Amino acid sequence: MIVNISVDEEGNTKPNISTMVVNEVTNRDGHQSEEPKVYTQVGEGSEERASVRKENNEIIITVANKNTDTFDLALRKFITKVNDNAPSIDREPILNLASLGALNRSGTANYYHTKNALTVEKGDIVTYTIRVYNEGNSHGYATVIEDDIPDGLEFVEDNEINKQYKWKMINDKNQITEDINEAIKIWTPYLSKERGGESNLIKAFDEETMDVPDYKDIQVVFKVTEPKSKDRIVENKAQIVEARDYDNKSAKDIDSTPNVWIDGEDDQDTEKVRVKYFDLSLSKYATKTIVIRNGKEEVVNTGNGQEKEKIAKVDIKTSEIEDVVVKLEYLIKVTNEGEIPGYAKEITDYIPEGLKFIAEDNPLWKENNGKATTESLADTLLMPGESAEVAIKLTWINDENNMGLKTNIAEISKDSNEYNTPDIDSTPNNMNLDEDDTDDSQIMITTTTGQIVMYIVLTVTVLGILVVGIIVVKKVLVK
């Protein structure tokens, strides 16, 4: 090392290093620097690799170690498989190269990877990858990693991947449990030094030799179950519970607190799935009125069958109440408004007072205690967006007091799908008109006496006579 001593105008000496060669620099990990480093023109107070100052007539030289300890492990979590298939859009994190500068200065990097909830189905087997990066310049181990067991996911104990990565179920007392009903999370020491020796060491980031930070991966497998959340989104969290340094001693992370979930810290991450929902709806329409007088059938199409229904109307003369036959035909339409295929295994029609069920008119239906049921759509698989229809015909009970509005209700009383997923917004067989698997249809039955027509004829006749009389009188007066 060459040190130049200069004297200022007041006679004070000022040391300066013009050239310094550092042959060996050893960091706390016990590793030497790669090659001797040469520093030139390093002046007093310099912020470079070396600095020099004078204290009590002694020259103090400080050499900054390139490998000054910065311990920083970061965790990323992403889905790699659903059943045996990779997601259509890769969810693996990619280093944001623009953050390399920040990584070099402060040990913090950014990664690109989609965090939109991945759509899955109940019963799917989802494989998650947990990746631990070393963003610091000190080697380390991710000794214990934790993953929670949220509502909507079930830890698969006998899965080979879960066995491989040594996951253990943990209860709410942070104790290992063999009872899956007690487990609220899982832990693994798979990346610890005890488990894998130095092969589990996650190496410090070296900007001169690395394009991306070193990392280690582990995986965990869950089965999708029925979530309780209304949005059906299931969030799974993972974090580093314990981290150790190169010597397998407890290490303090520069920007995170292990085993404490603090929003914004980089030793933790989440991944989300959205479970597909099942939803069958039912709509009912009065589509035809059929009136039979003296053996002659008169069919009127109501025009109903759209989203909005108008009330159909049947007029019956008082003179024909005892002999006329009035039949009302309804169309019942079941639509799959959900995301998974399913069946309307049974439909129930609640026969209103004043109407009756005739078996000969309804070969696909059975009647019992004022209700008619059909399984005619039981084997019709409805894909999302598809619909199927069935008709029912009810007959008016002849009675002069049996007039007015007749409200007929139908609902899906049994449904099914291969995932045993319940309907998202309806409960079959509860006759709740606020739910979309139930609907009603109305028909108005009224009487006419025929007197209105007679009055109209008489009025016209009288008016005609008056007009003729007025004309004759005028002619007489003119004469």
Side-chain angles (χ1 to χ4, degrees):
M1 175 172 56
I2 300 173
V3 180
N4 299 319
I5 304 296
S6 61
V7 181
D8 61 20
E9 294 179 353
E10 297 179 356
N12 297 317
T13 58
K14 185 178 181 181
N16 285 278
I17 300 173
S18 60
T19 303
M20 179 173 64
V21 178
V22 180
N23 289 314
E24 290 188 357
V25 177
T26 304
N27 62 23
R28 289 172 60 184
D29 291 338
H31 288 70
Q32 294 181 348
S33 60
E34 298 83 355
E35 294 180 355
K37 302 298 180 183
V38 178
Y39 301 93
T40 61
Q41 300 302 323
V42 180
E44 183 174 8
S46 171
E47 294 181 356
E48 299 297 330
R49 300 299 186 186
S51 63
V52 60
R53 69 184 187 277
K54 180 184 177 183
E55 286 187 8
N56 300 324
N57 294 320
E58 291 183 351
I59 298 174
I60 307 299
I61 300 169
T62 302
V63 179
N65 188 343
K66 173 178 181 271
N67 294 308
T68 299
D69 286 346
T70 302
F71 189 86
D72 186 15
L73 297 185
L75 182 147
R76 297 281 90 192
K77 181 168 188 176
F78 54 100
I79 293 171
T80 44
K81 281 199 306 185
V82 177
N83 300 322
D84 293 323
N85 303 311
S88 57
I89 298 177
D90 192 356
R91 302 175 77 86
E92 183 175 1
I94 299 173
L95 178 67
N96 176 5
L97 295 178
S99 71
L100 272 179
L103 177 60
N104 296 335
R105 293 190 303 271
S106 60
T108 300
N110 297 319
Y111 302 89
Y112 296 116
H113 60 130
T114 180
K115 283 297 179 180
N116 295 330
L118 183 66
T119 300
V120 297
E121 297 173 348
K122 180 182 174 183
D124 280 348
I125 301 298
V126 182
T127 302
Y128 297 83
T129 294
I130 298 171
R131 178 168 294 175
V132 181
Y133 292 93
N134 191 338
E135 297 180 351
N137 54 23
S138 180
H139 306 319
Y141 297 93
T143 305
V144 180
I145 294 174
E146 175 185 291
D147 200 287
D148 75 336
I149 307 176
D151 170 61
L153 291 181
E154 176 187 311
F155 177 65
V156 188
E157 295 179 79
D158 58 355
N159 182 273
E160 290 303 317
I161 289 177
N162 290 339
K163 291 179 181 179
Q164 174 188 345
Y165 288 102
K166 309 298 181 184
W167 289 101
K168 298 295 182 183
M169 294 186 295
I170 307 296
N171 61 23
D172 58 2
K173 297 178 181 178
N174 280 343
Q175 299 171 337
I176 294 176
T177 180
E178 300 298 325
D179 187 350
I180 195 168
N181 295 315
E182 289 184 355
I184 62 170
K185 56 189 175 183
I186 51 178
W187 283 352
T188 181
Y190 186 82
L191 294 180
S192 66
K193 186 173 184 179
E194 289 81 0
R195 286 285 180 181
E198 289 199 10
S199 64
N200 277 342
L201 186 68
I202 310 175
K203 296 179 182 179
F205 178 70
D206 187 334
E207 60 184 289
E208 296 182 1
T209 61
M210 295 180 178
D211 293 326
V212 296
D214 189 26
Y215 63 83
K216 298 291 182 185
D217 285 346
I218 60 173
Q219 291 186 321
V220 63
V221 173
F222 286 97
K223 181 180 180 179
V224 179
T225 61
E226 185 65 25
K228 295 184 178 69
S229 60
K230 188 174 182 179
D231 60 9
R232 302 181 69 79
I233 291 179
V234 180
E235 183 179 45
N236 185 223
K237 299 178 178 180
Q239 67 173 327
I240 298 171
V241 170
E242 183 180 346
R244 295 184 182 177
D245 64 13
Y246 177 80
D247 296 320
N248 207 30
K249 295 179 180 179
S250 181
K252 181 175 176 57
D253 194 290
I254 192 174
D255 57 9
S256 303
T257 304
N259 201 28
V260 179
W261 191 276
I262 301 175
D263 290 342
E265 291 192 347
D266 67 355
D267 68 338
Q268 62 196 28
D269 196 17
T270 66
E271 181 68 305
K272 297 177 183 177
V273 296
R274 186 185 65 83
V275 185
K276 288 183 179 180
Y277 64 91
F278 178 64
D279 185 15
L280 295 185
S281 69
L282 181 146
S283 301
K284 183 167 189 177
Y285 308 98
T287 53
K288 292 180 184 178
T289 62
I290 303 164
V291 179
I292 303 173
R293 296 181 176 94
N294 300 319
K296 185 178 180 181
E297 184 176 276
E298 179 185 346
V299 179
V300 176
N301 292 312
T302 65
N304 289 329
Q306 305 301 320
E307 290 302 317
K308 293 183 179 180
E309 182 187 27
K310 61 183 180 181
I311 297 177
K313 186 179 179 183
V314 179
D315 293 324
I316 302 171
K317 294 178 182 178
T318 53
S319 60
E320 60 186 16
I321 286 178
E322 293 184 2
D323 301 319
V324 71
V325 176
V326 178
K327 295 182 181 291
L328 312 172
E329 187 169 305
Y330 302 88
L331 179 70
I332 297 171
K333 180 179 180 180
V334 177
T335 302
N336 188 340
E337 297 181 346
E339 298 177 300
I340 58 178
Y343 301 88
K345 285 294 186 180
E346 181 185 81
I347 296 170
T348 295
D349 191 279
Y350 298 92
I351 302 169
E353 185 178 353
L355 301 181
K356 62 184 177 180
F357 177 90
I358 297 178
E360 291 77 9
D361 290 339
N362 301 284
L364 299 178
W365 293 80
K366 296 179 181 179
E367 189 267 338
N368 186 33
N369 293 326
K371 296 190 295 186
T373 59
T374 181
E375 297 177 352
S376 60
L377 301 182
D379 297 324
T380 301
L381 180 62
L382 294 176
M383 301 301 290
E386 291 184 344
S387 299
E389 299 174 348
V390 63
I392 186 171
K393 192 180 292 182
L394 300 178
T395 301
W396 177 65
I397 297 173
N398 299 53
D399 191 321
E400 62 181 4
N401 297 316
N402 185 21
M403 300 294 170
L405 196 64
K406 305 298 178 183
T407 301
N408 184 216
I409 299 172
E411 79 165 325
I412 300 170
S413 45
K414 293 180 184 178
D415 61 26
S416 74
N417 57 78
E418 66 172 303
Y419 310 104
N420 293 320
T421 296
D423 194 291
I424 193 171
D425 55 12
S426 304
T427 301
N429 205 35
N430 67 345
M431 199 179 174
N432 185 347
L433 279 169
D434 291 331
E435 297 178 351
D436 70 354
D437 69 339
T438 306
D439 196 17
D440 64 0
S441 182
Q442 296 178 323
I443 290 181
M444 177 69 76
I445 298 177
T446 61
T447 58
T448 60
T449 62
Q451 294 179 3
I452 295 176
V453 176
M454 181 180 67
Y455 291 153
I456 292 174
V457 172
L458 288 173
T459 300
V460 171
T461 303
V462 171
L463 287 174
I465 293 172
L466 288 173
V467 170
V468 172
I470 291 170
I471 294 172
V472 171
V473 171
K474 282 186 175 181
K475 287 182 177 180
V476 172
L477 292 174
V478 171
K479 290 179 179 180

